Amino acid sequence: QCRILDKLASITLPTGIRSVGSNAFYGCRNLTSVELPDTLVFLGDSAFESCESLKTVTIPSGVTSIGRLAFESCEALTGVSLPSALKTIGDNAFESCTSLTSITIPKSVTSMGKNPFRLCSKLSTISVASGSTSFRVSSGALYTYDYSKLITFPNTKTGSYTVNSNTTTIGAGAFTANQLTSISLPSALTTIENGAFSRSVNLTKIVIPSRVTSLDTYTFYNCQKLSSITLPAGLTNLGE
């Protein structure tokens, strides 16, 4: 870890390496460039977490899994190319990549963890490659292919947004730190995961549909302008 290699600025990993382990380059705050070998298939949890000077990453074509928090708090990261073989993106994989402006999800991805792009304050465009049967984008928001779950909404969008009528779950942190003033939720909604609307600083009011029986923790944390919440009669649990 980079408590020892604090001055490390660049690294080229040799051909033959198949995985980058958990925390391998955690906290290498001066690391600006990385060359990964074509033999790589796995990026471990927190592999490049808090590499705050890392600007771009090309992930080799054979990588199938990106671990949780793999690039969390890579604040200078403006671009990342995800490979066509990728199947899994872990929880919070790109959280707090505050310079990231766009991302394209390959059609090969079938599993995506919680909060993959939480607090990516400049992320304006999320795309899904043509041919995906697992995910899709609608009106800027990333959904599962059948619209049953809204995974994330770009932080840069303003105004109002109406969630798809077939959505039953709002994912963890899906609207965290967004700029919307109004969010309309569908009657089909049953589940709102933790921190779903946290730090929605411009949100003024919201109506929770009747099928929702529980609100998870931090649902409306730091929603500074929220003055009206309509809760359903059947609500049995209200998180912290």
Side-chain angles (χ1 to χ4, degrees), residues 40-219:
L40 197 69
V41 295
F42 177 77
L43 284 172
D45 296 348
S46 301
F48 294 98
E49 181 180 348
S50 297
C51 292
E52 57 191 45
S53 299
L54 188 62
K55 294 181 178 180
T56 60
V57 174
T58 298
I59 300 174
S61 60
V63 171
T64 60
S65 179
I66 297 174
R68 55 187 300 274
L69 299 164
F71 294 97
E72 196 263 347
S73 292
C74 290
E75 297 173 355
L77 191 64
T78 58
V80 58
S81 177
L82 301 180
S84 59
L86 188 65
K87 295 181 180 179
T88 302
I89 299 174
D91 295 350
N92 310 87
F94 296 96
E95 178 173 341
S96 296
C97 290
T98 52
S99 296
L100 191 65
T101 58
S102 65
I103 190 90
T104 298
I105 311 299
K107 66 179 182 180
S108 56
V109 175
T110 57
S111 175
M112 196 176 301
K114 295 181 179 179
N115 298 319
F117 307 109
R118 183 176 180 268
L119 298 176
C120 292
S121 55
K122 293 183 180 178
L123 184 62
S124 60
T125 305
I126 303 170
S127 304
V128 175
S130 176
S132 174
T133 57
S134 297
F135 303 99
R136 70 168 78 213
V137 171
S138 177
S139 301
L142 178 64
Y143 288 88
T144 53
Y145 190 77
D146 61 0
Y147 289 110
S148 63
K149 183 174 183 177
L150 191 154
I151 299 166
T152 195
F153 188 87
N155 284 168
T156 58
K157 305 293 184 182
T158 59
S160 61
Y161 182 74
T162 299
V163 176
N164 187 275
S165 61
N166 293 316
T167 299
T168 58
T169 300
I170 303 295
F175 287 98
T176 292
N178 78 84
Q179 304 301 310
L180 298 171
T181 55
S182 173
I183 301 170
S184 297
L185 303 176
S187 59
L189 193 69
T190 59
T191 304
I192 298 175
E193 294 182 350
N194 102 301
F197 305 102
S198 63
R199 304 187 190 185
S200 296
V201 294
N202 293 321
L203 190 65
T204 58
K205 63 180 180 179
I206 195 164
V207 177
I208 306 300
S210 62
R211 296 184 184 182
V212 176
T213 59
S214 177
L215 291 179
D216 213 328
T217 56
Y218 299 104
T219 301

